[in-house]
Structures are given as structure tokens and as C-alpha cells.
Amino acid sequence: MKKNYTIKDIAELAGVSKGTVDRVIHKRGKVSSKALEQVNKVLDQIEYKPNPIAKSLKNNKVYNIAILLPDADNDPYWLPCYDAIKQIENEFSHFGIKIKKGIFNPQSTESFTKSAEIILAEKPDAILMVPLFYKEAKDFAKNCVDANIKMATFNNYIKDQKIDLQIGQDLFQSGRVAAKLFNMLLGTKASLAILHIDEAFQNASHMQEKELGFKTYYLQKELDYDISVYNLKKEAKIPFKKTIDHFLKSITPVDGLFVTTSKAYLLANCMTESFSKPLIIGYDLVAENIDHLAHDKIAFLIHQDPKKQVYLSLTKLIEYFLFGKPLQESLSLPIDIINSENYPQYLK
């Protein structure tokens, strides 16, 4: 077993003072060429590697990481993200890591911009965000880069901007996965509807990527599928169930419904015996989706695992600060297909 050498050990082997060894290791202060040679010779022989955590603790260095994410009270999809933050705080708080949350309304670009400005003004060492509103997120990312703040995103990617770390699924490919599932279930000819439900869809690039992947699959396979696209948004004075009911009665009956958000349960809630029940494929293991999945009212869910996305993003930022590990520019996570048979395994 290799010995864990201390600065005192190295000083004795090199025949110099501990202060000299400290200056050589940390590359600070003046050291004679002879002393430098002696210390480096010992370091080479013992393959000395400094402990970055010990160094951080000794220097009382605190790393501030801000995370800009949607309010889970507005959308339960984001709730697991908060669990991931708690887990990170429990694991790394003793190593000088501070996490600051900036919360915004996922229906409001103004709320996002305001929270982003507050976070940026505090000048953290790194910022992790959900680029839910693409244009505003892209502008914010540029401001962070200009301020020399490490920038990371999850759940969606920002193109044409220098981002240090981006983690999420390939949304285009996830759309293709959903399309193939319908193809396998419905054959070579069918009518489908793509639904973007309850999102600020004018800015939501993540839904557009899923839609594009979905449509591209059928174009490339040259399949005879009739595909319609609908945007359904909650109105302030009208119950959402009424909006969904009206939508289902107004459209031509379809064989399948592809919901690009975590709101597939809203459709399943409104299915009645009088309505020819189409296959529903949606996203995410929110509680209401799981209930309908278990009773086969939703055929499949594509699991995006927001908790894992946040946990991995924060861990990689922390490892960069504590260990000097380089940040991956992009990390694409697996696309998990969930049905009534395997969903319990994902709830553990």
C-alpha cells in the first residue's frame, strides 16, 4: 500500500522547510532553483497528489452554486428536482458547497427573467438552470458567460452558446421513440394528434424538438400517418377539464394521442365510454400519470428523470470545483420507456 505523504514528510525527504514544500506544491512565492529541484524530485518519486477536498477545507473556500428552476407548486414534474438538491446538500455541505435556489413560474417569462436577474446579481461560482424559455435562457446564458460564471443546463439544450455543461435526454430522439411505439401498436396507417398541453409553447423548444422527431420518424419510414398538432393552454376563468372536454369533442377521432409534456393524465381523466379511446403516450412519472398508467389508460410514458438530471448536474459542477475534473460539454441520458408492468421499479 502506498503511504499518504504529508508536507512534513516531503520536507524531511527533500531536506527543506515545510514552507518551501508548500510554496512548490501550490506554486506561490519564491523558491531557489536548488530547493525546487529537490522537492520536485521527491514528488516524482512518491507520486504525490494533493487532496483537493482537504485543500478546500483548509482554505475555508465556499463555492456558491445557484439553480434556477420552475416552482413545483405550478407543475409537479419539477418536484423531484428539489429532492435532488436536498440530497446534494446533505452529501456536500461539509465541503464548502452552498446551493441557492431561484424559483420562477413556468408559465411566465417575466418571472423567469426576474429570478435570473436576482441570481446573476449575486455572482455565484456556477449557475444551473432549466432553459424552459429558450430565447430568455439563451440571453441569460450569454450574460453568465460574460460574467465568467460557470453555466450548466438540464432538461433541454441551448444551441449556439458557450455552455460548460448540458445534461438531458435527446428530445428529438425521444419524439422518434414515441413515434415508433405508435407504429408498432397501430401498424402502417393511422391518424395521430400531437398535443402540447399547458406550456408557454411559443418559447418551448423542448416540445418543438419532440414534435420534430415524432414527425421525422414517419417521413423517413414513408408511412401513411395523418398527424395533427394542437396547443392546449389553461385559461384563467375556465376549468381545464372543460377545455379538454371541448377539445376531445371538437376533433376528428384519432387512433393515438402523443402528449409532449407531463400532462397526459388530463386527457386520460376525460376519456369516457362515448369517446372512442385512442392510445395515449406521454411523459414523466408524476402521480396522476402513474395512476392512469397502472390502469392502462395511458399506454406508455417516457421517463425523463428530472431528479437524476439535477443530481448529476450539481455533482459534476461540485467535482469541477473540488477535484478540478473537467466539465463535459454535453451528456445525453437514456430514454426510458415505462408501462404498466415496469413502472414500480422506477418508483423505488
Side-chain angles (χ1 to χ4, degrees):
M1 293 180 63
K2 291 184 178 180
K3 177 180 176 181
N4 291 322
Y5 288 90
T6 65
I7 288 180
K8 181 180 178 182
D9 295 329
I10 297 168
E12 290 176 353
L13 290 170
V16 298
S17 69
K18 290 190 294 183
T20 298
V21 176
D22 183 77
R23 287 192 292 275
V24 171
I25 290 175
H26 298 106
K27 296 181 174 61
R28 59 190 178 205
K30 293 183 179 181
V31 178
S32 69
S33 57
K34 182 179 179 180
L36 179 62
E37 181 182 352
Q38 289 173 284
V39 173
N40 281 331
K41 184 178 179 180
V42 171
L43 294 177
D44 289 340
Q45 289 174 344
I46 67 174
E47 298 180 358
Y48 174 79
K49 294 180 181 179
N51 184 334
I53 292 182
K55 178 182 175 182
S56 177
L57 292 173
K58 182 179 178 181
N59 294 338
N60 294 318
K61 173 63 177 176
V62 174
Y63 294 102
N64 293 296
I65 300 176
I67 177 167
L68 188 59
L69 77 167
D71 189 344
D73 288 339
N74 292 95
D75 187 344
Y77 167 74
W78 304 105
L79 192 58
C81 299
Y82 292 80
D83 294 334
I85 294 169
K86 287 181 182 178
Q87 187 175 346
I88 287 290
E89 288 174 332
N90 289 336
E91 292 178 7
F92 292 100
S93 61
H94 297 300
F95 300 121
I97 302 296
K98 300 293 183 184
I99 308 293
K100 170 68 182 277
K101 294 186 288 289
I103 311 302
F104 65 90
N105 183 339
Q107 302 297 326
S108 169
T109 55
E110 182 180 351
S111 175
F112 171 84
T113 301
K114 183 177 180 180
S115 293
E117 289 174 350
I118 293 171
I119 287 292
L120 185 61
E122 295 179 355
K123 297 181 180 179
D125 298 289
I127 295 176
L128 172 64
M129 74 164 170
V130 183
L132 199 59
F133 306 106
Y134 191 81
K135 179 183 179 300
E136 289 77 9
K138 188 174 179 179
D139 292 342
F140 176 61
K142 183 180 184 305
N143 292 335
C144 292
V145 172
D146 292 343
N148 200 31
I149 296 171
K150 291 296 176 184
M151 185 75 244
T153 67
F154 73 98
N155 200 67
N156 194 10
Y157 297 91
I158 296 179
K159 300 175 182 177
D160 306 319
Q161 186 59 263
K162 175 58 181 172
I163 307 296
D164 297 289
L165 173 68
Q166 301 198 82
I167 290 181
Q169 284 184 352
D170 184 329
L171 300 179
F172 178 88
Q173 200 62 28
S174 80
R176 289 182 61 90
V177 168
K180 183 161 187 173
L181 288 172
F182 279 120
N183 182 197
M184 294 170 65
L185 295 168
L186 299 174
T188 59
K189 184 177 181 179
S191 61
L192 302 175
I194 300 173
L195 277 78
H196 304 309
I197 298 180
D198 197 24
E199 294 279 354
F201 41 76
Q202 71 274 15
N203 264 332
S205 62
H206 60 290
M207 291 190 299
Q208 295 164 7
E209 283 291 303
K210 294 171 185 176
E211 177 186 325
L212 182 60
F214 191 84
K215 290 179 175 178
T216 301
Y217 174 87
Y218 296 109
L219 287 173
Q220 291 180 345
K221 299 292 182 181
E222 298 182 349
L223 296 171
D224 187 14
Y225 270 57
D226 179 36
I227 301 174
S228 303
V229 181
Y230 301 91
N231 295 312
L232 298 181
K233 189 166 175 61
K234 181 177 175 62
E235 301 294 336
K237 297 181 180 180
I238 303 175
F240 213 161
K241 186 180 184 304
K242 189 173 182 179
T243 300
I244 299 293
D245 280 335
H246 176 74
F247 164 75
L248 291 174
K249 291 175 182 177
S250 67
I251 67 169
T252 303
V254 293
D255 302 302
L257 295 165
F258 174 45
V259 183
T260 60
T261 69
S262 61
K263 305 295 195 306
Y265 63 87
L266 290 170
L267 287 171
N269 282 340
C270 295
M271 292 298 172
T272 63
E273 294 299 326
S274 61
F275 187 87
S276 58
K277 296 180 180 179
L279 289 167
I280 300 176
I281 295 178
Y283 284 81
D284 308 316
L285 293 176
V286 299
E288 291 178 277
N289 277 347
I290 293 169
D291 182 58
H292 289 300
L293 186 74
H295 291 90
D296 292 316
K297 293 181 179 179
I298 293 175
F300 293 100
L301 292 171
I302 295 175
H303 184 36
Q304 300 181 102
D305 203 345
K307 181 177 180 179
K308 182 177 181 180
Q309 291 189 41
V310 171
Y311 183 85
L312 282 177
S313 299
L314 290 174
T315 298
K316 289 188 177 298
L317 286 171
I318 290 168
E319 288 178 343
Y320 167 79
F321 290 120
L322 291 183
F323 307 121
K325 287 188 177 182
L327 292 168
Q328 290 176 260
E329 188 171 325
S330 179
L331 177 60
S332 185
L333 299 183
I335 299 171
D336 292 334
I337 301 171
I338 315 298
N339 62 20
S340 58
E341 306 306 316
N342 68 348
Y343 79 89
Q345 302 169 24
Y346 288 84
L347 304 181
K348 295 178 181 178

